[in-house]
Amino acid sequence: MPASPIEVYSWPTPNGHKIHIMLEECELPYRAHPVNIGKGDQFAPDFLQISPNNKIPAITDPDGPDGKPISLFESGAILVYLAGKTGKFLPTGDRERYDVLQWLMFQMGGVGPMLGQAHHFRIYAPEKIAYAIDRYSNEAKRLYGVIDKQLSKNKFIAGKSYSIADIAIFPWLRSWENQGITLTDFPRLKDWFDGIAARPAVQRGVKVLADLRQPITGDKEREILFGKTQYQKH
């Protein structure tokens, strides 16, 4: 009997692409449902039932660990779940597993938030604040340097094998120009980046919902994403 598809509620952002790539790499059946964050779909009651922090992505797997449906939010948690479900891209040995998990947390706690701030102040902020632009552009360069150094010792982010750490970090580096980065300044990172970008499953994953995304240009979209709508009770 064919497996029931995983329902994926997402948008073509770095955090969304993590899950699209993982599902493609694991060859799991899934259906992608667009959550247009520029229009406020993330505040819909049905979406908040599975993602109470009103952020994409979120999933519902009809075949959860106990054979019953399970819903999950937070992209890092979803990656760990899918790795456990399939036995792929997360080692079973304790030492190797924790190596991967620490670099996954590095993405969740550092790469995502800091590069997101770099994007915001360099591209989206209505007022160009030099202090903020410098602070987050410099932090972006520092993080790229950390990754480049790590890749001087390993073929992949967390060792010899491709893992959810690579899947988590890669989508955040695709907009390196917007982060004030010159990729050739980090040659080992560039080689790794080019190798990940060439993977067929990655190429499929970054195309998921991509045709729906449009540049954020209107005041209404900016207000929904960055203004008071974010802080209202939903």
Side-chain angles (χ1 to χ4, degrees), residues 15-32:
N15 284 334
H17 286 320
K18 294 181 204 174
I19 307 309
H20 310 157
I21 290 169
M22 182 66 171
L23 289 163
E24 291 288 344
E25 291 280 16
C26 293
E27 299 181 310
L28 287 167
Y30 69 95
R31 284 191 291 245

Side-chain angles (χ1 to χ4, degrees), residues 119-130 132-133 216-219 221-223 225-227:
H119 274 236
H120 180 77
F121 286 107
R122 292 176 62 89
I123 306 298
Y124 299 122
E127 180 184 354
K128 299 304 179 186
I129 304 170
I133 292 171
I216 300 169
T217 56
D219 290 340
E221 288 179 318
R222 290 177 184 271
E223 196 284 322
L225 286 169
F226 311 126

Side-chain angles (χ1 to χ4, degrees), residues 7-47:
E7 308 295 343
V8 184
Y9 303 90
S10 188
W11 195 242
T13 69
N15 284 334
H17 286 320
K18 294 181 204 174
I19 307 309
H20 310 157
I21 290 169
M22 182 66 171
L23 289 163
E24 291 288 344
E25 291 280 16
C26 293
E27 299 181 310
L28 287 167
Y30 69 95
R31 284 191 291 245
H33 304 274
V35 179
N36 189 329
I37 58 176
K39 292 185 177 180
D41 292 355
Q42 67 271 36
F43 304 116
D46 287 349
F47 182 68

Side-chain angles (χ1 to χ4, degrees), residues 62-112:
D63 182 23
D66 52 2
K68 299 177 182 178
I70 185 174
S71 294
L72 292 166
F73 69 102
E74 281 295 335
S75 57
I78 297 169
L79 287 176
V80 172
Y81 171 75
L82 294 175
K85 180 181 177 73
T86 60
K88 295 181 177 180
F89 310 120
L90 182 60
T92 55
D94 285 347
R95 186 173 297 276
E96 294 81 7
R97 180 182 178 88
Y98 287 121
D99 278 344
V100 171
L101 289 175
Q102 70 180 348
W103 285 99
L104 175 63
M105 296 305 111
F106 166 79
Q107 187 281 306
M108 299 295 295
V111 170

Side-chain angles (χ1 to χ4, degrees), residues 4-234:
S4 299
I6 294 173
E7 308 295 343
V8 184
Y9 303 90
S10 188
W11 195 242
T13 69
N15 284 334
H17 286 320
K18 294 181 204 174
I19 307 309
H20 310 157
I21 290 169
M22 182 66 171
L23 289 163
E24 291 288 344
E25 291 280 16
C26 293
E27 299 181 310
L28 287 167
Y30 69 95
R31 284 191 291 245
H33 304 274
V35 179
N36 189 329
I37 58 176
K39 292 185 177 180
D41 292 355
Q42 67 271 36
F43 304 116
D46 287 349
F47 182 68
L48 291 173
Q49 287 294 314
I50 59 173
S51 183
N53 195 34
N54 62 257
K55 305 293 183 183
I56 62 95
I59 69 166
T60 295
D61 183 358
D63 182 23
D66 52 2
K68 299 177 182 178
I70 185 174
S71 294
L72 292 166
F73 69 102
E74 281 295 335
S75 57
I78 297 169
L79 287 176
V80 172
Y81 171 75
L82 294 175
K85 180 181 177 73
T86 60
K88 295 181 177 180
F89 310 120
L90 182 60
T92 55
D94 285 347
R95 186 173 297 276
E96 294 81 7
R97 180 182 178 88
Y98 287 121
D99 278 344
V100 171
L101 289 175
Q102 70 180 348
W103 285 99
L104 175 63
M105 296 305 111
F106 166 79
Q107 187 281 306
M108 299 295 295
V111 170
M114 295 299 102
L115 298 190
Q117 293 290 353
H119 274 236
H120 180 77
F121 286 107
R122 292 176 62 89
I123 306 298
Y124 299 122
E127 180 184 354
K128 299 304 179 186
I129 304 170
Y131 174 84
I133 292 171
D134 290 344
R135 170 174 167 76
Y136 291 110
S137 298
N138 287 332
E139 180 63 5
K141 292 174 184 176
R142 189 189 72 81
L143 290 167
Y144 273 73
V146 171
I147 298 168
D148 192 65
K149 183 177 180 180
Q150 174 68 1
L151 290 167
S152 72
K153 301 178 288 185
N154 299 286
K155 181 178 180 180
F156 295 102
I157 293 292
K160 296 179 181 179
S161 300
Y162 180 65
S163 73
I164 57 174
D166 301 281
I167 292 171
I169 290 172
F170 170 79
W172 278 99
L173 309 190
R174 294 178 69 228
S175 296
W176 48 271
E177 289 178 297
N178 288 344
Q179 298 155 12
I181 297 295
T182 301
L183 208 57
T184 52
D185 290 344
F186 305 95
R188 291 161 296 209
L189 185 152
K190 185 180 185 304
D191 288 345
W192 165 86
F193 181 91
D194 290 344
I196 303 298
R199 295 177 68 92
V202 173
Q203 293 177 358
R204 293 193 301 271
V206 298
K207 291 179 181 177
V208 175
L209 304 177
D211 60 334
L212 299 179
R213 186 170 185 176
Q214 296 179 344
I216 300 169
T217 56
D219 290 340
K220 184 176 180 180
E221 288 179 318
R222 290 177 184 271
E223 196 284 322
I224 289 171
L225 286 169
F226 311 126
K228 63 181 180 180
T229 300
Q230 283 287 332
Y231 308 113
Q232 294 173 349
K233 184 177 181 180
H234 296 281

